[in-house]
Amino acid sequence: MLSSGTTERTFGAEPRITGYNYSHDGRWFAVGLSDGSVEVVPASGTAEAKRWKSDTRGVGTLEFLPDSSGIVVAALDRPGQIWDLRGTPKQLATLHSDFAGLIACSFSPDGKLLVTSDGDTAVRFYDTSTWKMLHEYRGVTLETFGMAFTIDGKHVLIGGPDDHITVLDPATGAELQKLPKDDDVIFQILPFGSDGRAAIAYFDGDGRKPPHQSIWNVNNAKSIPLSANRPLTGGGIVGGKLWVSSSNGKVLDIWVYE
């Protein structure tokens, strides 16, 4: 636990952890395991943990609904599954894919829409009240690794190895704009603040350069490097603010990016 430095939960070495994520409110922590099991545990307190086994081995994607009532579970070789976490976990739906599996996904801030990227390169929008597909976008030639709704829910940003960041309209699934990007591959997009900014994380597809980050402003289509005194080791959005971390010897420094 960050506030006290205490260990809240320990997971064994086998089956190994293949994916993990926190709920949006920070109350729950989910891990996916190599045998297809999923475990959702309270981040603090004594609430009951939930564990079940899906038919998906090597769970890599875990994404909570904004209200933590459900979760997306997926592996790279299987379509995404929707699981209800109210009471005993139960599967509600299986998402569509022409082939391969779910790579990334994001919920709208109000929880009414889910956008996914799949190994067949399609980007799909779903109505979370029915889990029916509403729109499909096929304007990218390679897989999308990073995607996110903007803070106001009016746009979806997607990116990967393609030479641009694409801005989509969640109401129609249509392309609104293409923004230039760095030559490297986008693997994470983190919108934050109230002025259209998003942190973009890149990696070198050839493995020759370390990962790096930039800050994009969707409103003015301008980008600046995300700079720090030491290389960043992680980041995430808490309360609409971008938090980043960097190792400092044996200490992990964590702060709000302004």
Side-chain angles (χ1 to χ4, degrees), residues 230 246-253:
R230 295 183 302 277
S246 179
S247 59
N248 183 10
K250 295 182 178 180
V251 176
L252 182 66
D253 291 337

Side-chain angles (χ1 to χ4, degrees), residues 61-142:
T61 298
L62 296 161
E63 183 68 26
F64 284 90
L65 271 76
D67 64 0
S68 302
S69 64
I71 190 170
V72 179
V73 175
L76 290 177
D77 62 344
R78 302 292 293 273
Q81 300 175 353
I82 309 298
W83 285 79
D84 189 344
L85 296 179
R86 294 167 292 187
T88 302
K90 61 180 179 180
Q91 187 177 345
L92 296 178
T94 298
L95 303 178
H96 179 78
S97 179
D98 292 342
F99 59 86
L102 188 147
I103 296 173
C105 64
S106 177
F107 284 99
S108 60
D110 61 10
K112 294 181 179 180
L113 293 174
L114 170 69
V115 62
T116 68
S117 66
D118 296 284
D120 58 10
T121 73
V123 173
R124 298 180 171 94
F125 291 83
Y126 294 88
D127 179 344
T128 60
S129 66
T130 62
W131 300 112
K132 300 296 184 182
M133 186 169 61
L134 300 174
H135 316 296
E136 190 174 67
Y137 174 76
R138 291 185 175 269
V140 292
T141 57
L142 299 169

Side-chain angles (χ1 to χ4, degrees), residues 15-20 30-37 56-62 74-75:
R16 63 186 176 86
I17 293 176
T18 52
Y20 59 88
V31 296
L33 304 173
S34 57
D35 68 348
S37 296
T56 295
R57 299 183 66 83
V59 174
T61 298
L62 296 161

